[in-house]
Amino acid sequence: MPETFTVAGAGLIGRAWAIVFARAGHSVRLWDGNPEALAASLPLLRANLDDLEAQGLIDSAEEVTARVTAVDTLGDALEGARWMQECIAETVEAKRGLFEEADRYAEPDAILASSSSSITASKYTEALPGRLRCLVAHPVNPPYLVPLVELCPAPWTDPAVIQRARQVMDSVGMVPVAVNKEVEGFVLNRLQGALLAEAFKLVADGVISTDDLDKTVKDGLGLRWSFMGPFETIDLNAPGGVADYCARYGGIYERLQAEQAEVRVWDADTVKRIEGERRKVLGADDLATRQVWRDRRLMSLLKHKQAATDEFGG
């Protein structure tokens, strides 16, 4: 049954969430504190939907667009909504102010979720009368193409709210995972951060170029990771499964961890070097075009994965 969802913040992530909810057949009220950003959001959203229709991932961009309405006030956006997805600036102060207002205007049983990339919900919901219904629902950019969403409670979030949040995310085509306790960066960014830290070290130490490191991931690890996680990967990489793999290779990884434990700042020289190597591969003027290319590749991959799941399951 169609319901109403509120998206607070009409930037890149906000528009993407609006697509997620509207694509699933729901009404979406899109609000932003910046009227110019709000006015610009619907044409940009329609362009994304046109791409999805061209790839066969939705039936009608026009129909999905019609489910999204831009509204002038947060109170109007929240009226009758079952869920608010906050997508504003990544600062504690901004989120605290918005959640205070949302807690006043939202329906009593509405879930209030943040798209925060690293700031835990306890930092801006503690003083709220309705803090039990607040959590982080951290997506991957863009969520309408990469369906994972991390559900991260504050210490006081009602477990029943997490369960409801999982059901809602399932119902709109997302893949929810539960982060059982607060940790900065949640899980996805911590995993990404570990890989990036080692990538920066390897390039800084002259072990490999930025382009060849990217190839190592996209044409190596990434091929498996597009349909398997790291535990399933090692489970299938030894005849006897995980325990066998750990017995065979645990010592190697222990030695690597000892080397990798050193924390290094992403210093200016290394950043300049990586920036220079990247600009040789992709000019600054071509970044936006490449982002569109990335999204269309993700659409193709998503379409393939959906077909494979329908045929083989899992």
Side-chain angles (χ1 to χ4, degrees):
M1 179 179 176
E3 300 194 59
T4 300
F5 287 75
T6 299
V7 176
L12 184 66
I13 297 297
R15 294 194 305 271
W17 272 115
I19 289 173
V20 168
F21 299 134
R23 180 181 60 187
H26 301 293
S27 297
V28 179
R29 297 204 191 107
L30 183 60
W31 169 86
D32 196 287
N34 181 341
E36 292 181 359
L38 185 62
S41 64
L42 290 183
L44 294 169
L45 180 146
R46 177 56 187 267
N48 295 142
L49 289 169
D50 285 339
D51 268 351
L52 287 172
E53 182 180 344
Q55 293 285 339
L57 290 169
I58 58 172
D59 292 331
S60 170
E62 184 175 357
E63 289 181 9
V64 178
T65 304
R67 298 187 190 114
V68 182
T69 304
V71 296
D72 294 330
T73 70
L74 182 60
D76 288 342
L78 288 164
E79 185 177 356
R82 72 178 301 197
W83 181 287
M84 181 197 76
Q85 188 70 35
E86 170 269 307
C87 309
I88 65 168
E90 189 75 357
T91 69
V92 171
E93 293 74 18
K95 293 183 187 301
R96 183 181 293 123
L98 187 138
F99 269 78
E100 286 174 356
E101 188 175 1
D103 195 38
R104 286 198 303 271
Y105 290 116
E107 301 296 331
D109 61 345
I111 291 175
L112 306 182
S114 173
S115 297
S116 173
S117 294
S118 61
I119 304 173
T120 54
S122 62
K123 289 184 167 62
Y124 48 87
T125 67
E126 183 174 8
L128 299 182
R131 68 181 190 170
L132 274 67
R133 56 166 168 179
C134 299
L135 73 152
V136 170
H138 172 231
V140 188
N141 183 35
Y144 63 87
L145 296 178
V146 187
L148 182 88
V149 57
E150 298 180 280
L151 302 179
C152 314
W156 42 79
T157 304
D158 187 343
V161 167
I162 296 297
Q163 185 59 36
R164 268 207 299 145
R166 182 185 283 274
Q167 293 168 353
V168 171
M169 290 292 100
D170 274 330
S171 74
V172 297
M174 300 298 285
V175 178
V177 297
V179 179
N180 296 324
K181 59 182 180 180
E182 287 196 329
V183 58
E184 185 178 10
F186 315 122
V187 173
L188 187 141
N189 281 332
R190 292 178 76 90
L191 292 173
Q192 180 171 244
L195 181 61
L196 278 172
E198 185 62 18
F200 268 78
K201 288 178 188 176
L202 291 168
V203 170
D205 292 346
V207 173
I208 195 168
S209 70
T210 58
D211 192 42
D212 280 351
L213 189 135
D214 278 352
K215 289 176 182 175
T216 302
V217 175
K218 70 178 183 179
D219 296 317
L221 294 170
L223 289 178
R224 292 188 301 215
W225 286 351
S226 67
F227 61 92
M228 290 194 303
F231 290 126
E232 184 174 5
T233 296
I234 66 171
D235 196 31
L236 300 180
N237 274 0
V242 169
D244 186 17
Y245 186 93
C246 293
R248 291 169 183 259
Y249 305 113
I252 296 171
Y253 284 107
E254 286 176 15
R255 292 194 295 276
L256 292 180
Q257 286 179 63
E259 292 180 14
Q260 293 166 335
E262 177 192 4
V263 176
R264 293 196 206 173
V265 175
W266 294 359
D267 63 275
D269 288 343
T270 301
V271 173
K272 182 178 180 180
R273 175 178 173 182
I274 294 172
E275 172 73 13
E277 291 188 24
R278 282 299 305 153
R279 295 294 70 83
K280 289 178 182 177
V281 175
L282 181 69
D285 293 340
D286 296 322
L287 281 167
T289 301
R290 190 68 168 177
Q291 288 164 354
V292 173
W293 168 88
R294 174 203 63 193
D295 288 354
R296 289 176 179 169
R297 293 285 296 225
L298 283 171
M299 290 177 200
S300 297
L301 179 59
L302 181 60
K303 188 175 180 180
H304 168 74
K305 290 189 72 172
Q306 287 177 347
T309 298
D310 291 342
E311 184 175 358
F312 299 109

